[in-house]
Amino acid sequence: TVVEAEDGFEALNAFASDRPDVVILDYLMPRLSGLEVLKAIKQQEPSTFIVLLTGMSAETQSRLQGVQPGEVGDIPTASADLP
């Protein structure tokens, strides 16, 4: 089952009702950032696998500080690689 959310608050509500094994978030979600949603989900269910995506530059990604090891893996890409 795939569930979509328009913003971070909807994402948290969807997580609470559906309890998925995997969550995919955008760092720049409206109303509540993907990082804030990630932290809230990990407090509720530490075993949930979360993928946090962003189109931000490497410099901007430094804002991800405070995320615990194992919660976020970094796969850098260059925008030139995208179609």
Side-chain angles (χ1 to χ4, degrees):
T1 302
V2 175
V3 178
E4 294 183 43
E6 293 290 323
D7 60 47
F9 287 113
E10 282 187 23
L12 284 177
N13 288 334
F15 179 79
S17 64
D18 295 318
R19 293 290 188 186
D21 296 323
V22 177
V23 175
I24 301 173
L25 301 168
D26 182 351
Y27 183 82
L28 297 175
M29 294 174 69
R31 296 181 59 203
L32 196 61
S33 77
L35 183 59
E36 292 169 308
V37 174
L38 180 150
K39 290 178 179 182
I41 289 173
K42 285 296 188 176
Q43 285 179 347
Q44 296 175 37
E45 190 61 53
S47 64
T48 302
F49 183 79
I50 300 176
V51 178
L52 181 62
L53 302 174
T54 182
M56 295 185 292
S57 68
E59 294 82 26
T60 306
Q61 288 179 18
S62 66
R63 292 171 39 195
L64 292 175
Q65 61 186 312
V67 177
Q68 298 300 313
E71 289 180 356
V72 173
D74 184 18
I75 304 172
T77 61
S79 58
D81 295 340
L82 301 175

